[in-house]
C-alpha cells in the first residue's frame, strides 16, 4: 500500500493540531476552520481525504484493523458525534464537532457554484436528481458502485478510476464505512487523483430529502441517534442499542490508560529521576570517551 505524501499524510500526524481521544486522532479545529481548509486547498493538488468518525466508528476501530489503517491516512479527521463531544468534555478534552452532514450542506450552500464539477460515489438516481435540482447543478459526475463493495476489490478500484477520470475540487463518498474510506485509499494508491474526498455517508440523502435529520433541538440535546433509530428501527437498532453502548467500556479503558500514563510521566519527571538520567548519560559519555582513546 502506498502511503500518501506531503500534506495528505505527513502533515496529518505532526505538531499539536490534533487530540488523541479514545482510539482516534481528531483535528483541533472548528467547523468554520475545517470548511476553510477544505475550500482553500488547491483542487489540482494530489488527492487527500476527510473522515468523520462517530461512536459507531470508534467502537469498530477497537477490532477492525482495516478501518484503523484507513483512518491513519486521512488528511483531516473531524468528529461527527455530539455524544463524543460530551464524553470528551467530561474527560477534560475539547472535541470540536463537525458533523459530516452539516459539512456537506455548508459546502453545497455556500461554496459549490451551480456550474462547478462535483463528483459523487454512491447514492441513487433519485438522490442525485434531487440534489441537482435543489442547487441547480449542471455538472454532477456520478458513479453507482455495486452492493458488497467491501469484498469487491475490482469495484473499489473502479470507483477510484472514476474519481481519476472525473477530476473535481470535491468528491463525495456516500457508500458507508469502511467502504468509502477504502475507495479513498484506492484513490491515494493510484497517484493520479486530485482534489479532496469527503467520506460523508448518508449526507446527500439528507440534502435530497430522502432521509430526514433530527430537529435542531434533538441535535443540540445529543439525541440525533434516537431520531434515526425511530426512523429506521430495523436497520439501526443494533448499531445504537447493542454496539453503541460499547463506547462506555472503551472510554473506561481509555481513562485508565490515561491515568497510568500521567502517573508515569509524573514519576519520570521527578527531580530524583532527572538526576539519575543525567548521571547515566554522563557515565555513558565517559565510557565512549575511554573507548575512543583505546
Amino acid at each position: 500500500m502506498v502511503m500518501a505524501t506531503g500534506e495528505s499524510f505527513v502533515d496529518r500526524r505532526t505538531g499539536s493540531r490534533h487530540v488523541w481521544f479514545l482510539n482516534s486522532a481528531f483535528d483541533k479545529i472548528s467547523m468554520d476552520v475545517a470548511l476553510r481548509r477544505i475550500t482553500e486547498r488547491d483542487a489540482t493538488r494530489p488527492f487527500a481525504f476527510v473522515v468523520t468518525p462517530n461512536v459507531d466508528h470508534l467502537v469498530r476501530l477497537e477490532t477492525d484493523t482495516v478501518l484503523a489503517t484507513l483512518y491513519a491516512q486521512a488528511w483531516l479527521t473531524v468528529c461527527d458525534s455530539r455524544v463524543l463531544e460530551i464524553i470528551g468534555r467530561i474527560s477534560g478534552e475539547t472535541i470540536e464537532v463537525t458533523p459530516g452532514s452539516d459539512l456537506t450542506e455548508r459546502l453545497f450552500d455556500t461554496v459549490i457554484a451551480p456550474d462547478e464539477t462535483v463528483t459523487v460515489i454512491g447514492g441513487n438516481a433519485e438522490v442525485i436528481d434531487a440534489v441537482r435540482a435543489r442547487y441547480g447543478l449542471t455538472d454532477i459526475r456520478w458513479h453507482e458502485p455495486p452492493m458488497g463493495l467491501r469484498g469487491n476489490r475490482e469495484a473499489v478500484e473502479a470507483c477510484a478510476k472514476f474519481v481519476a477520470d472525473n477530476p473535481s475540487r470535491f468528491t463525495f463518498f456516500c457508500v458507508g464505512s469502511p467502504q468509502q474510506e477504502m475507495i479513498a485509499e484506492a484513490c491515494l494508491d493510484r497517484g493520479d487523483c486530485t482534489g479532496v474526498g469527503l467520506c460523508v455517508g448518508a449526507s446527500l440523502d439528507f440534502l435530497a430529502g430522502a432521509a430526514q435529520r433530527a430537529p435542531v433541538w434533538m441535535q443540540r440535546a445529543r439525541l440525533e441517534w434516537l431520531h434515526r433509530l425511530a426512523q429506521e428501527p430495523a436497520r439501526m437498532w443494533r448499531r445504537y442499542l447493542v454496539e453503541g453502548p460499547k463506547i462506555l467500556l472503551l472510554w473506561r479503558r481509555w481513562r485508565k490508560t490515561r491515568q497510568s500514563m500521567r502517573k508515569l510521566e509524573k514519576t519520570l519527571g521527578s527531580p530524583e529521576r532527572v538526576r539519575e538520567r543525567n548521571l547515566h548519560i554522563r557515565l555513558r559519555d565517559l565510557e565512549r570517551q575511554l573507548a575512543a582513546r583505546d
Side-chain angles (χ1 to χ4, degrees):
M1 175 178 65
V2 179
M3 301 299 284
T5 58
E7 184 183 14
S8 62
F9 182 73
V10 176
D11 177 58
R12 174 66 188 88
R13 299 299 183 201
T14 59
S16 58
R17 278 185 38 238
H18 64 270
V19 54
W20 286 95
F21 181 61
L22 301 184
N23 51 18
S24 183
F26 293 97
D27 284 87
K28 295 193 293 186
I29 54 177
S30 65
M31 163 80 84
D32 290 338
V33 175
L35 185 69
R36 186 170 70 246
R37 287 198 69 201
I38 293 167
T39 301
E40 293 179 353
R41 191 175 189 275
D42 189 341
T44 64
R45 292 191 64 183
F47 179 82
F49 68 98
V50 180
V51 293
T52 57
N54 56 30
V55 168
D56 176 59
H57 299 155
L58 293 194
V59 168
R60 286 192 284 119
L61 277 170
E62 277 284 271
T63 56
D64 193 334
T65 56
V66 171
L67 184 59
T69 301
L70 297 172
Y71 269 25
Q73 299 176 78
W75 167 63
L76 201 64
T77 302
V78 294
C79 179
D80 186 66
S81 170
R82 289 181 174 84
V83 172
L84 292 178
E85 176 197 25
I86 196 168
I87 293 176
R89 185 182 302 172
I90 294 171
S91 306
E93 300 283 0
T94 300
I95 309 297
E96 299 279 0
V97 178
T98 303
S101 298
D102 291 344
L103 182 61
T104 300
E105 186 172 19
R106 288 277 296 274
L107 284 170
F108 277 93
D109 283 349
T110 65
V111 177
I112 298 172
D115 60 349
E116 181 173 348
T117 300
V118 176
T119 304
V120 179
I121 306 295
N124 56 47
E126 290 76 16
V127 166
I128 299 302
D129 288 344
V131 172
R132 181 186 289 114
R134 175 174 175 175
Y135 293 100
L137 302 176
T138 60
D139 191 12
I140 294 183
R141 312 289 179 88
W142 171 53
H143 176 72
E144 185 177 18
M147 299 293 290
L149 197 57
R150 181 169 186 173
N152 188 340
R153 187 63 195 176
E154 289 185 0
V156 170
E157 292 176 353
C159 292
K161 183 179 185 302
F162 186 87
V163 174
D165 292 343
N166 296 273
S168 60
R169 184 162 55 145
F170 307 119
T171 296
F172 295 91
F173 298 115
C174 306
V175 292
S177 178
Q179 294 82 214
Q180 54 199 16
E181 292 85 6
M182 290 173 65
I183 299 171
E185 180 189 52
C187 290
L188 291 179
D189 289 348
R190 285 185 60 93
D192 59 351
C193 296
T194 56
V196 176
L198 297 106
C199 300
V200 290
S203 295
L204 292 190
D205 290 347
F206 295 127
L207 293 185
Q212 297 297 320
R213 289 196 68 183
V216 174
W217 72 267
M218 292 191 77
Q219 296 179 37
R220 291 175 177 170
R222 284 91 176 171
L223 293 175
E224 192 164 8
W225 64 271
L226 184 59
H227 182 267
R228 292 202 69 189
L229 176 61
Q231 280 193 318
E232 302 180 84
R235 190 167 76 90
M236 295 295 183
W237 73 270
R238 184 171 183 82
R239 174 188 295 186
Y240 291 128
L241 301 182
V242 178
E243 300 299 329
K246 293 179 182 178
I247 197 69
L248 298 177
L249 298 176
L250 177 59
W251 179 36
R252 181 182 178 186
R253 288 195 296 271
W254 175 80
R255 290 182 65 186
K256 285 186 176 181
T257 301
R258 186 178 66 167
Q259 290 170 357
S260 299
M261 291 298 295
R262 288 180 174 176
K263 184 177 180 180
L264 178 60
E265 289 172 357
K266 185 176 181 180
T267 300
L268 294 176
S270 66
E272 294 80 9
R273 286 299 181 93
V274 172
R275 286 195 295 270
E276 182 180 326
R277 282 199 302 274
N278 289 338
L279 178 59
H280 178 72
I281 292 171
R282 290 175 61 187
L283 289 173
R284 293 300 299 271
D285 287 342
L286 287 172
E287 288 176 355
R288 282 193 292 268
Q289 293 174 18
L290 289 172
R293 290 176 183 177
D294 294 341

